[in-house]
Amino acid sequence: DPAIASGGTITLGNFTLKARAWSPGSLPSQTTSVAYSITGQFGPGDLAAGNSHALGVRPDGVVWAWGSNTSGQLGKWGPDALAPIPVSGITGVKAIAAGYGFSVALRADGSAWGWGDNSYGQLGVAAANPQPTPIPIGGLTGVAQISAAESSIVARKNDGTVWAIGANWYGQLGNGTTNDSNVPVQVTG
């Protein structure tokens, strides 16, 4: 397989994912092309890329994950996945997001679910242990839109309010503090 040059592209189905991989403190990696075969199609907005893993959700609401699995971000304990695998334990997904070692899904019923790294309580669990299978994120119901950052999640509810959970090193939870939170806090302002 030839290396993908910096600025190169990977074509998956009916869309193109632009990628660049590197390790901190090193030069861009010699990433090679990989062919994936996934039954069904992905549309615009149906992909998310975390630090070292990626997600896709098909129109049937099934989430697929691939890449690193150091914290269970692929939806189970086990080795990294070099090709997409379905995530068990969650159905009816309409949107996805990916952070640093964790994954988030928004179900059609408006509930937010997460799995993988929970170092800063971003999955709504007080213990900082990884969660290898999808769990509902308490307090994030009636959600219309979801996004993930390195170690936090931001959600817009159907009523227009914005809520955040997880790491808050720089005030990214938007609640006027720098305290991490394992329960959703309303973004003020």
Side-chain angles (χ1 to χ4, degrees), residues 12 48 59 63 70 76 101 118 132 135 174 176:
L12 302 172
V63 177
T70 56
K76 64 177 186 171
N118 186 52
I135 57 171

Side-chain angles (χ1 to χ4, degrees), residues 17-43:
L17 169 69
K18 293 187 177 187
R20 180 176 176 184
W22 69 92
S23 295
S26 66
L27 298 173
S29 69
Q30 294 297 312
T31 305
T32 57
S33 61
V34 178
Y36 293 115
S37 175
I38 303 173
T39 305
Q41 294 183 349
F42 293 122

